[in-house]
Amino acid sequence: MKPYKDTFLNRNTRVRRFQQNISSKELVWHRDRSDRVIKILEGAGWQLQMDNGIPKKLVEGKEYSIPAYNYHRLIKGSTDLVIQICED
């Protein structure tokens, strides 16, 4: 079972929700097959950590680029996290 719920807007765009009560153990290091741009729609206290990097606070309204095949993970915040994902 995936730790999020996706709602597809079109072929390349989806809205993904992570609930606040998710276990931190479910937020594992992973990599994606496509370049992605994520936009933070809602969420407080969540962070994004890229491979060999320090965690960065995710800010509502801001976009973040995640290159294909680059390891990364989310770090749990204090509210639900809702992001928009656009893939190439």
Side-chain angles (χ1 to χ4, degrees), residues 3 12 34 38 46 49 65 74 78-80:
N12 299 326
S34 303
I38 64 168
W46 289 79
Q49 185 174 13
S65 294
L74 286 171
S78 57
T79 65
D80 287 1

Side-chain angles (χ1 to χ4, degrees), residues 27-61:
L27 301 172
V28 297
W29 286 97
H30 68 283
R31 56 186 177 173
D32 303 306
R33 295 180 185 164
S34 303
D35 289 338
R36 290 184 170 185
V37 174
I38 64 168
K39 181 176 182 180
I40 309 307
L41 304 179
E42 297 175 30
W46 289 79
Q47 298 176 71
L48 175 65
Q49 185 174 13
M50 304 299 286
D51 192 24
N52 295 319
I54 60 171
K56 293 185 180 179
K57 182 180 176 185
L58 295 174
V59 178
E60 260 185 54

Side-chain angles (χ1 to χ4, degrees), residues 4-87:
Y4 54 81
K5 182 178 179 186
D6 279 342
T7 302
F8 285 84
L9 303 179
N10 60 46
R11 185 171 163 247
N12 299 326
T13 307
R14 71 189 81 167
V15 173
R16 179 168 289 176
R17 176 181 292 273
F18 294 86
Q19 293 190 337
Q20 186 279 329
N21 63 357
I22 189 173
S23 169
S24 293
K25 293 178 183 178
E26 292 186 72
L27 301 172
V28 297
W29 286 97
H30 68 283
R31 56 186 177 173
D32 303 306
R33 295 180 185 164
S34 303
D35 289 338
R36 290 184 170 185
V37 174
I38 64 168
K39 181 176 182 180
I40 309 307
L41 304 179
E42 297 175 30
W46 289 79
Q47 298 176 71
L48 175 65
Q49 185 174 13
M50 304 299 286
D51 192 24
N52 295 319
I54 60 171
K56 293 185 180 179
K57 182 180 176 185
L58 295 174
V59 178
E60 260 185 54
K62 191 170 177 184
E63 293 184 348
Y64 302 84
S65 294
I66 302 173
Y69 300 103
N70 196 345
Y71 278 102
H72 60 283
R73 70 174 177 152
L74 286 171
I75 298 172
K76 184 177 163 177
S78 57
T79 65
D80 287 1
L81 176 66
V82 182
I83 60 176
Q84 180 177 300
I85 301 171
C86 296
E87 291 184 327

